[in-house]
Amino acid sequence: MTLNEYMELPYRMEIVPDVEEGGYAVTFPELPGCITCGETLEQAVRNATDAKKAWLEAALDEGIAIAMPDELNEYSGQFKLRIPKSLHRQLSEHSKREGISMNQYCLYLLSRNDALHSQS
C-alpha cells in the first residue's frame, strides 16, 4: 500500500485533555508511539494528521509492518441523534469558540468521555 492509501484508512484517533500541561494529547492506538498534542482542539487535530503521516512514512521507509485499523468494517461511523435545541445551540457555540466543526467537537467530547470510562 502507498502512503496516501494508508492515510485514507480509518485509524482511530483518541483525543484527551492534558490536565497537567494544558491543551490536548492525541494518539492513534493502532499506530504504536504515534502521539502528538496541541494547545487547542483544532491545533491538536491538525498536528495529529501530520504525526500520522510522519509515522506512516517512517514505517514504510523502515519496512515496519503497519497494522490495519481495528475491525471497523461492521460499523458505518455514523448514527443519528436527536438532541434538545438548547444543547444543539451550546454545542455549536462551543465548537465555534474552538474553531472546529460541531461534528469534530462532538467527536472530541465522545472520545474524551469514552476514554474516561475505559479507564475504570
Side-chain angles (χ1 to χ4, degrees), residues 14 22 42 44 50 55-56 59-60 91-92 96 100 104-105 107:
E14 292 184 353
E42 181 182 46
D50 293 341
W55 191 98
L56 291 167
L60 288 169
L91 292 170
S92 178
K96 285 178 186 172
I100 58 176
Q104 202 164 22
Y105 183 69
L107 176 61

Side-chain angles (χ1 to χ4, degrees), residues 49-62:
T49 301
D50 293 341
K52 178 178 154 186
K53 183 176 182 181
W55 191 98
L56 291 167
E57 284 176 331
L60 288 169
D61 288 347
E62 297 293 323

Side-chain angles (χ1 to χ4, degrees), residues 30-46:
E30 296 96 353
L31 307 175
C34 185
I35 185 169
T36 190
C37 61
E39 291 182 20
T40 65
L41 282 173
E42 181 182 46
Q43 183 184 33
V45 170
R46 195 171 45 247

